[in-house]
Amino acid sequence: MGRSRYTITEPEKPHFLTCTVMEWLPLFTRDYLVGHLLDCWRYQQSHKDLNLYGYIILENHLHFVAQAPDLAKCVSQFKSFTARSIIDDLQSKGAERVLQRLRFSKRAHKTDRVYQLWQEGSHAELVYSESVMRQKLDYIHHNPVKRGYVDLAEHWRYSSARNYAGMEGLIEIQRWS
């Protein structure tokens, strides 16, 4: 998982993860780009035994709590697949300014690609107890409230707060009781 000092220590347990766009570019203000993230999670849920307990997608980063038999590989594949599909989408739409920034901010040692979408690492933190799970889900869900984007967590469209509030979310999750 990149060069992060945060590692997935106990893959059979849930982890809180963060993925951040290079230069904090606000890509996820575009619904069609968010769709790539959701589609990838859906695929991993049905094919890689990913348990997604909670998530939030903000304009330039995302947080999620997940568990899988090989979570490190799931995260790596998530970042790789979404980077490729988002960059392809940006190229097809002629988003040259964004692509130029992703080309410029690419790390020098990344010689196998022209662009780099995600910052390295995913800041994985083990969720080792019921109270830590609650704390991480609360943090995730209240992020847009603290930023002043919405008054209620479940009003943020790209969040599992909707699922926990009994509303239909954009993606199925495994609710933590």
Side-chain angles (χ1 to χ4, degrees):
M1 277 204 332
R3 299 163 188 264
S4 175
R5 63 187 170 101
Y6 299 94
T7 57
I8 294 174
T9 54
E10 298 180 50
E12 73 284 356
K13 294 185 178 165
H15 282 70
F16 170 80
L17 302 129
T18 301
C19 299
T20 306
V21 176
M22 294 297 289
E23 292 190 22
W24 293 82
L25 292 174
L27 295 183
F28 304 128
T29 57
R30 298 162 180 88
D31 189 55
Y32 65 91
L33 294 181
V34 172
H36 294 291
L37 307 175
L38 299 172
D39 288 344
C40 187
W41 275 331
R42 284 185 195 103
Y43 175 85
Q44 289 185 323
Q45 285 174 318
S46 60
H47 294 88
K48 303 292 183 185
D49 294 325
L50 177 75
N51 288 322
L52 185 63
Y53 296 106
Y55 73 93
I56 181 93
I57 301 168
L58 296 159
E59 67 275 11
N60 50 25
H61 70 288
L62 56 97
H63 300 291
F64 60 109
V65 178
Q67 175 181 1
D70 192 347
L71 186 57
K73 188 173 182 180
C74 270
V75 173
S76 176
Q77 289 173 340
F78 172 82
K79 290 175 78 174
S80 177
F81 175 81
T82 56
R84 180 76 267 145
S85 58
I86 288 169
I87 287 166
D88 287 350
D89 211 345
L90 291 170
Q91 288 175 317
S92 75
K93 291 188 174 25
E96 280 307 312
R97 293 182 91 182
V98 172
L99 291 166
Q100 182 179 9
R101 298 277 301 274
L102 296 175
R103 187 172 35 248
F104 176 77
S105 63
K106 177 182 75 85
R107 298 294 177 241
H109 67 274
K110 301 277 187 179
T111 57
D112 61 335
R113 66 198 71 179
V114 176
Y115 307 102
Q116 183 174 344
L117 181 84
W118 298 110
Q119 291 182 12
E120 291 181 354
S122 57
H123 195 103
E125 294 179 41
L126 176 65
V127 177
Y128 55 86
S129 70
E130 198 68 41
S131 64
V132 172
M133 178 63 88
R134 179 56 37 218
Q135 180 226 352
K136 295 303 183 188
L137 289 173
D138 286 347
Y139 172 79
I140 285 172
H141 294 153
H142 289 94
N143 212 307
V145 176
K146 284 193 318 196
R147 289 169 169 246
Y149 295 164
V150 292
D151 292 328
L152 297 172
E154 59 269 21
H155 289 174
W156 190 254
R157 185 163 193 243
Y158 305 125
S159 168
S160 57
R162 298 164 67 88
N163 305 74
Y164 282 93
M167 301 166 64
E168 186 175 343
L170 296 176
I171 186 172
E172 290 296 316
I173 61 160
Q174 285 68 41
R175 283 183 52 144
W176 191 266
S177 33

CSV table of all heavy atoms in Angstrom, one decimal, residues 125-155:
chain,number,residue,atom,x,y,z
A,125,GLU,N,-6.1,2.6,9.9
A,125,GLU,CA,-6.1,2.5,11.4
A,125,GLU,C,-7.1,1.4,11.8
A,125,GLU,O,-8.2,1.3,11.4
A,125,GLU,CB,-6.7,3.8,12.0
A,125,GLU,CG,-5.8,5.1,11.8
A,125,GLU,CD,-6.4,6.3,12.4
A,125,GLU,OE1,-7.0,6.2,13.5
A,125,GLU,OE2,-6.4,7.3,11.8
A,126,LEU,N,-6.5,0.5,12.6
A,126,LEU,CA,-7.3,-0.6,13.1
A,126,LEU,C,-8.5,-0.2,14.0
A,126,LEU,O,-8.3,0.7,14.8
A,126,LEU,CB,-6.4,-1.6,13.9
A,126,LEU,CG,-7.1,-2.8,14.6
A,126,LEU,CD1,-7.6,-3.8,13.5
A,126,LEU,CD2,-6.1,-3.5,15.5
A,127,VAL,N,-9.6,-0.7,13.7
A,127,VAL,CA,-10.8,-0.5,14.5
A,127,VAL,C,-10.9,-1.7,15.5
A,127,VAL,O,-11.4,-2.7,15.1
A,127,VAL,CB,-12.1,-0.3,13.7
A,127,VAL,CG1,-13.3,-0.2,14.5
A,127,VAL,CG2,-12.0,0.8,12.7
A,128,TYR,N,-10.4,-1.5,16.7
A,128,TYR,CA,-10.2,-2.6,17.6
A,128,TYR,C,-11.3,-2.8,18.6
A,128,TYR,O,-11.2,-3.7,19.4
A,128,TYR,CB,-8.8,-2.5,18.3
A,128,TYR,CG,-8.6,-1.2,19.0
A,128,TYR,CD1,-9.0,-1.1,20.3
A,128,TYR,CD2,-8.0,-0.2,18.4
A,128,TYR,CE1,-8.9,0.1,21.0
A,128,TYR,CE2,-7.8,1.0,19.0
A,128,TYR,CZ,-8.3,1.2,20.3
A,128,TYR,OH,-8.1,2.4,21.0
A,129,SER,N,-12.3,-1.9,18.6
A,129,SER,CA,-13.3,-2.1,19.6
A,129,SER,C,-14.6,-1.4,19.1
A,129,SER,O,-14.6,-0.6,18.2
A,129,SER,CB,-12.9,-1.4,20.9
A,129,SER,OG,-12.9,0.0,20.8
A,130,GLU,N,-15.7,-1.7,19.8
A,130,GLU,CA,-17.0,-1.1,19.6
A,130,GLU,C,-16.9,0.4,19.7
A,130,GLU,O,-17.5,1.1,18.8
A,130,GLU,CB,-17.9,-1.7,20.6
A,130,GLU,CG,-19.4,-1.6,20.4
A,130,GLU,CD,-19.9,-2.5,19.2
A,130,GLU,OE1,-19.4,-3.7,19.1
A,130,GLU,OE2,-20.7,-2.0,18.5
A,131,SER,N,-16.3,0.9,20.7
A,131,SER,CA,-16.2,2.4,20.9
A,131,SER,C,-15.4,3.1,19.8
A,131,SER,O,-15.8,4.2,19.3
A,131,SER,CB,-15.7,2.7,22.2
A,131,SER,OG,-14.3,2.3,22.4
A,132,VAL,N,-14.3,2.4,19.3
A,132,VAL,CA,-13.6,3.0,18.2
A,132,VAL,C,-14.4,3.0,16.9
A,132,VAL,O,-14.4,4.0,16.1
A,132,VAL,CB,-12.2,2.3,18.0
A,132,VAL,CG1,-11.5,2.7,16.8
A,132,VAL,CG2,-11.3,2.5,19.2
A,133,MET,N,-15.1,1.9,16.7
A,133,MET,CA,-16.0,1.9,15.5
A,133,MET,C,-17.0,3.0,15.5
A,133,MET,O,-17.2,3.7,14.6
A,133,MET,CB,-16.7,0.5,15.4
A,133,MET,CG,-17.7,0.4,14.2
A,133,MET,SD,-16.9,0.6,12.6
A,133,MET,CE,-16.6,-1.2,12.3
A,134,ARG,N,-17.7,3.2,16.7
A,134,ARG,CA,-18.6,4.3,16.8
A,134,ARG,C,-18.0,5.7,16.6
A,134,ARG,O,-18.5,6.5,15.9
A,134,ARG,CB,-19.3,4.2,18.2
A,134,ARG,CG,-20.3,5.3,18.5
A,134,ARG,CD,-21.5,5.4,17.6
A,134,ARG,NE,-22.0,4.2,17.1
A,134,ARG,CZ,-22.5,4.1,15.8
A,134,ARG,NH1,-22.5,5.2,15.0
A,134,ARG,NH2,-23.0,3.0,15.3
A,135,GLN,N,-16.8,5.8,17.2
A,135,GLN,CA,-16.1,7.1,17.0
A,135,GLN,C,-15.7,7.4,15.5
A,135,GLN,O,-15.9,8.5,15.0
A,135,GLN,CB,-14.8,7.1,17.8
A,135,GLN,CG,-14.0,8.3,17.7
A,135,GLN,CD,-12.5,8.1,17.5
A,135,GLN,OE1,-12.0,7.0,17.6
A,135,GLN,NE2,-11.8,9.1,17.2
A,136,LYS,N,-15.3,6.3,14.8
A,136,LYS,CA,-14.9,6.5,13.4
A,136,LYS,C,-16.1,6.8,12.5
A,136,LYS,O,-16.1,7.6,11.7
A,136,LYS,CB,-14.1,5.3,12.9
A,136,LYS,CG,-12.8,5.1,13.5
A,136,LYS,CD,-11.9,6.3,13.4
A,136,LYS,CE,-10.5,6.0,14.0
A,136,LYS,NZ,-9.7,7.2,14.0
A,137,LEU,N,-17.2,6.0,12.8
A,137,LEU,CA,-18.4,6.3,12.0
A,137,LEU,C,-19.0,7.7,12.3
A,137,LEU,O,-19.4,8.4,11.4
A,137,LEU,CB,-19.5,5.2,12.3
A,137,LEU,CG,-19.2,3.8,11.8
A,137,LEU,CD1,-20.2,2.8,12.3
A,137,LEU,CD2,-19.2,3.8,10.2
A,138,ASP,N,-19.0,8.1,13.6
A,138,ASP,CA,-19.4,9.5,13.9
A,138,ASP,C,-18.5,10.5,13.2
A,138,ASP,O,-19.0,11.5,12.7
A,138,ASP,CB,-19.4,9.7,15.4
A,138,ASP,CG,-20.5,9.0,16.1
A,138,ASP,OD1,-21.5,8.5,15.4
A,138,ASP,OD2,-20.5,8.9,17.4
A,139,TYR,N,-17.2,10.3,13.2
A,139,TYR,CA,-16.3,11.2,12.5
A,139,TYR,C,-16.6,11.3,11.0
A,139,TYR,O,-16.7,12.4,10.5
A,139,TYR,CB,-14.9,10.8,12.8
A,139,TYR,CG,-13.9,11.6,11.9
A,139,TYR,CD1,-13.5,12.9,12.4
A,139,TYR,CD2,-13.4,11.1,10.7
A,139,TYR,CE1,-12.6,13.7,11.6
A,139,TYR,CE2,-12.5,11.9,10.0
A,139,TYR,CZ,-12.1,13.2,10.4
A,139,TYR,OH,-11.3,13.9,9.7
A,140,ILE,N,-16.8,10.1,10.4
A,140,ILE,CA,-17.1,10.1,9.0
A,140,ILE,C,-18.4,10.9,8.7
A,140,ILE,O,-18.4,11.7,7.9
A,140,ILE,CB,-17.2,8.6,8.5
A,140,ILE,CG1,-15.8,8.0,8.4
A,140,ILE,CG2,-18.0,8.5,7.2
A,140,ILE,CD1,-15.9,6.5,8.1
A,141,HIS,N,-19.4,10.5,9.4
A,141,HIS,CA,-20.7,11.0,9.1
A,141,HIS,C,-20.9,12.5,9.4
A,141,HIS,O,-21.6,13.2,8.8
A,141,HIS,CB,-21.8,10.2,9.8
A,141,HIS,CG,-21.9,8.8,9.3
A,141,HIS,ND1,-22.3,7.8,10.1
A,141,HIS,CD2,-21.6,8.3,8.1
A,141,HIS,CE1,-22.3,6.7,9.4
A,141,HIS,NE2,-21.8,6.9,8.2
A,142,HIS,N,-20.2,13.0,10.4
A,142,HIS,CA,-20.3,14.4,10.8
A,142,HIS,C,-19.3,15.3,10.1
A,142,HIS,O,-19.4,16.6,10.3
A,142,HIS,CB,-20.3,14.6,12.3
A,142,HIS,CG,-21.5,14.0,13.0
A,142,HIS,ND1,-21.6,12.7,13.4
A,142,HIS,CD2,-22.7,14.6,13.1
A,142,HIS,CE1,-22.8,12.5,13.9
A,142,HIS,NE2,-23.5,13.6,13.7
A,143,ASN,N,-18.5,14.8,9.3
A,143,ASN,CA,-17.5,15.6,8.6
A,143,ASN,C,-18.1,16.7,7.8
A,143,ASN,O,-17.7,17.9,7.9
A,143,ASN,CB,-16.7,14.7,7.7
A,143,ASN,CG,-15.2,15.1,7.5
A,143,ASN,OD1,-15.0,16.3,7.1
A,143,ASN,ND2,-14.3,14.3,7.7
A,144,PRO,N,-19.1,16.5,7.0
A,144,PRO,CA,-19.7,17.6,6.2
A,144,PRO,C,-20.5,18.6,7.1
A,144,PRO,O,-20.7,19.7,6.7
A,144,PRO,CB,-20.6,16.9,5.2
A,144,PRO,CG,-20.9,15.6,5.7
A,144,PRO,CD,-19.7,15.2,6.6
A,145,VAL,N,-21.0,18.1,8.2
A,145,VAL,CA,-21.7,19.0,9.2
A,145,VAL,C,-20.7,20.0,9.8
A,145,VAL,O,-20.9,21.2,9.8
A,145,VAL,CB,-22.4,18.2,10.3
A,145,VAL,CG1,-23.1,19.1,11.3
A,145,VAL,CG2,-23.5,17.3,9.7
A,146,LYS,N,-19.6,19.5,10.2
A,146,LYS,CA,-18.5,20.3,10.8
A,146,LYS,C,-18.0,21.3,9.8
A,146,LYS,O,-17.7,22.4,10.2
A,146,LYS,CB,-17.3,19.5,11.3
A,146,LYS,CG,-17.6,18.8,12.6
A,146,LYS,CD,-16.4,18.2,13.3
A,146,LYS,CE,-15.5,17.5,12.3
A,146,LYS,NZ,-14.5,16.6,12.9
A,147,ARG,N,-18.0,21.0,8.5
A,147,ARG,CA,-17.5,21.9,7.5
A,147,ARG,C,-18.6,22.9,7.1
A,147,ARG,O,-18.3,23.8,6.3
A,147,ARG,CB,-17.1,21.1,6.2
A,147,ARG,CG,-15.9,20.3,6.4
A,147,ARG,CD,-15.7,19.3,5.3
A,147,ARG,NE,-14.4,18.7,5.3
A,147,ARG,CZ,-13.4,18.9,4.4
A,147,ARG,NH1,-13.7,19.7,3.3
A,147,ARG,NH2,-12.2,18.4,4.5
A,148,GLY,N,-19.8,22.7,7.6
A,148,GLY,CA,-20.9,23.6,7.3
A,148,GLY,C,-21.6,23.4,5.9
A,148,GLY,O,-22.3,24.2,5.4
A,149,TYR,N,-21.3,22.2,5.4
A,149,TYR,CA,-21.9,21.9,4.1
A,149,TYR,C,-23.4,21.5,4.2
A,149,TYR,O,-24.2,21.8,3.3
A,149,TYR,CB,-21.2,20.7,3.4
A,149,TYR,CG,-19.8,21.0,3.0
A,149,TYR,CD1,-18.9,19.9,2.7
A,149,TYR,CD2,-19.2,22.3,2.9
A,149,TYR,CE1,-17.6,20.1,2.3
A,149,TYR,CE2,-17.9,22.5,2.6
A,149,TYR,CZ,-17.1,21.4,2.3
A,149,TYR,OH,-15.8,21.6,1.9
A,150,VAL,N,-23.8,20.9,5.3
A,150,VAL,CA,-25.1,20.4,5.5
A,150,VAL,C,-25.4,20.6,7.0
A,150,VAL,O,-24.5,20.7,7.9
A,150,VAL,CB,-25.4,19.0,5.2
A,150,VAL,CG1,-25.3,18.8,3.6
A,150,VAL,CG2,-24.4,18.0,5.9
A,151,ASP,N,-26.7,20.7,7.4
A,151,ASP,CA,-27.1,20.8,8.8
A,151,ASP,C,-27.2,19.4,9.4
A,151,ASP,O,-27.0,19.3,10.6
A,151,ASP,CB,-28.5,21.5,8.9
A,151,ASP,CG,-28.4,22.9,8.5
A,151,ASP,OD1,-27.3,23.6,8.7
A,151,ASP,OD2,-29.4,23.5,7.9
A,152,LEU,N,-27.6,18.4,8.7
A,152,LEU,CA,-27.7,17.0,9.2
A,152,LEU,C,-26.8,16.1,8.4
A,152,LEU,O,-26.8,16.2,7.2
A,152,LEU,CB,-29.2,16.6,9.2
A,152,LEU,CG,-30.2,17.4,10.0
A,152,LEU,CD1,-31.6,16.9,9.7
A,152,LEU,CD2,-29.8,17.2,11.5
A,153,ALA,N,-26.2,15.2,9.1
A,153,ALA,CA,-25.3,14.3,8.4
A,153,ALA,C,-25.9,13.5,7.3
A,153,ALA,O,-25.3,13.3,6.2
A,153,ALA,CB,-24.7,13.3,9.4
A,154,GLU,N,-27.2,13.1,7.5
A,154,GLU,CA,-27.8,12.3,6.4
A,154,GLU,C,-28.2,13.1,5.2
A,154,GLU,O,-28.7,12.6,4.2
A,154,GLU,CB,-29.1,11.6,7.0
A,154,GLU,CG,-30.1,12.4,7.6
A,154,GLU,CD,-29.9,12.7,9.1
A,154,GLU,OE1,-28.8,12.5,9.6
A,154,GLU,OE2,-30.9,13.1,9.7
A,155,HIS,N,-28.0,14.4,5.2
A,155,HIS,CA,-28.3,15.2,4.1
A,155,HIS,C,-27.1,15.2,3.1
A,155,HIS,O,-27.3,15.6,1.9
A,155,HIS,CB,-28.6,16.7,4.5
A,155,HIS,CG,-29.9,16.9,5.2
A,155,HIS,ND1,-30.3,18.0,5.7
A,155,HIS,CD2,-30.9,16.0,5.4
A,155,HIS,CE1,-31.5,17.9,6.2
A,155,HIS,NE2,-31.9,16.7,6.0
